[in-house]
């Protein structure tokens, strides 16, 4: 007040400060309520990947959280159906869709990742169809390669190639 060279009655100053603090408290409460509604709106139950995988493989779920997600977000049903149809197609089940039907459905999906996956499948369509028709896989070869890499990591800077070769040949 001295700098401004104004004389203000202390009572007036007190009223001004009181009204400012009340207004501040009111605005703060409004912001808190708004933030609370935003926070509650974002709450979607989190479901473990194993639960989703089990649902895709078996088509059934006992998870209440997954059922709540299905009820709250209808697009999830569409995405899960696309995943389940792909699994059926890969495993060669009788009620499975054809590759063309599945690609059309997947390319119309609202989820970007599913659309890009369908685009990738379309590029390598012959290999995917061959996979669906045959029962062969390279699991045995992959296991052998994995075992060799494990030995190599284990032997790093401990011995030369001759010892590594002997260990690979005489391992169980």
């Amino acid at each position: 007040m001295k700098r401004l060279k104004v004389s203000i009655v202390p009572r007036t100053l007190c009223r001004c400060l009181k009204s400012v603090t009340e207004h501040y408290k009111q605005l703060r409460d409004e912001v808190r309520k708004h933030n609370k509604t935003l926070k509650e709106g974002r709450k979607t139950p989190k479901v473990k990947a194993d639960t989703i995988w089990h649902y895709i493989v078996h088509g059934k779920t006992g998870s209440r959280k997954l059922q709540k997600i299905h009820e709250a977000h209808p697009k999830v049903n569409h995405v899960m159906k696309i995943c389940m149809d792909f699994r059926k197609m890969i495993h060669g089940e009788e009620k499975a869709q054809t590759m063309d039907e599945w690609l059309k459905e997947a390319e119309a999906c609202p989820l970007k990742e599913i659309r890009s996956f369908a685009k990738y499948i379309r590029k390598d369509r012959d290999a995917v169809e061959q996979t669906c028709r045959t029962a062969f896989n390279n699991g045995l070869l992959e296991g052998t390669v994995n075992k060799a890499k494990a030995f190599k990591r284990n032997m790093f800077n401990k011995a030369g190639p001759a010892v590594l070769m002997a260990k690979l040949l005489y391992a169980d």
Side-chain angles (χ1 to χ4, degrees):
M1 289 189 325
K2 288 179 183 178
R3 284 186 186 168
L4 296 174
K5 296 180 184 173
V6 177
S7 63
I8 297 177
V9 180
R11 189 174 193 184
T12 309
L13 181 66
C14 183
R15 282 184 190 165
C16 290
L17 287 175
K18 197 172 192 179
S19 67
V20 168
T21 55
E22 286 175 5
H23 186 65
Y24 168 76
K25 287 178 182 179
Q26 182 184 4
L27 290 175
R28 184 186 64 197
D29 291 341
E30 288 177 17
V31 168
R32 284 182 178 165
K33 286 179 184 177
H34 178 71
N35 288 343
K36 188 175 182 179
T37 58
L38 288 176
K39 196 174 189 181
E40 288 174 358
R42 281 185 280 162
K43 283 187 180 177
T44 53
K46 295 186 179 183
V47 181
K48 293 182 180 179
D50 290 341
T51 306
I52 295 170
W53 179 85
H54 189 268
Y55 177 69
I56 290 172
V57 170
H58 300 291
K60 300 175 191 173
T61 183
S63 172
R64 291 181 188 162
K65 291 179 180 179
L66 190 59
Q67 289 172 351
K68 283 182 184 178
I69 289 175
H70 277 290
E71 293 168 4
H73 306 286
K75 291 181 181 178
V76 171
N77 293 329
H78 183 64
V79 171
M80 294 297 273
K81 182 186 176 303
I82 290 172
C83 293
M84 291 168 70
D85 289 343
F86 184 74
R87 182 195 54 82
K88 288 177 184 176
M89 187 177 61
I90 290 293
H91 289 289
E93 293 183 16
E94 290 179 21
K95 297 179 182 179
Q97 293 179 328
T98 64
M99 180 72 74
D100 290 328
E101 292 171 352
W102 185 85
L103 284 171
K104 284 179 186 175
E105 189 176 348
E107 287 170 346
C109 181
L111 196 62
K112 179 182 77 171
E113 289 81 2
I114 298 286
R115 288 193 312 263
S116 66
F117 179 67
K119 185 178 176 183
Y120 179 77
I121 294 293
R122 190 174 289 281
K123 285 181 184 177
D124 203 18
R125 184 182 174 144
D126 294 334
V128 175
E129 285 180 342
Q130 190 64 29
T131 301
C132 294
R133 279 189 238 127
T134 62
F136 300 114
N137 64 37
N138 62 348
L140 183 63
L141 177 66
E142 289 294 328
T144 306
V145 170
N146 192 23
K147 187 176 182 180
K149 286 182 180 181
F151 277 127
K152 187 176 175 183
R153 277 193 304 274
N154 194 16
M155 297 297 291
F156 185 73
N157 279 344
K158 294 182 182 174
V163 176
L164 179 62
M165 181 67 82
K167 198 165 189 166
L168 283 173
L169 290 174
Y170 297 113
D172 289 331

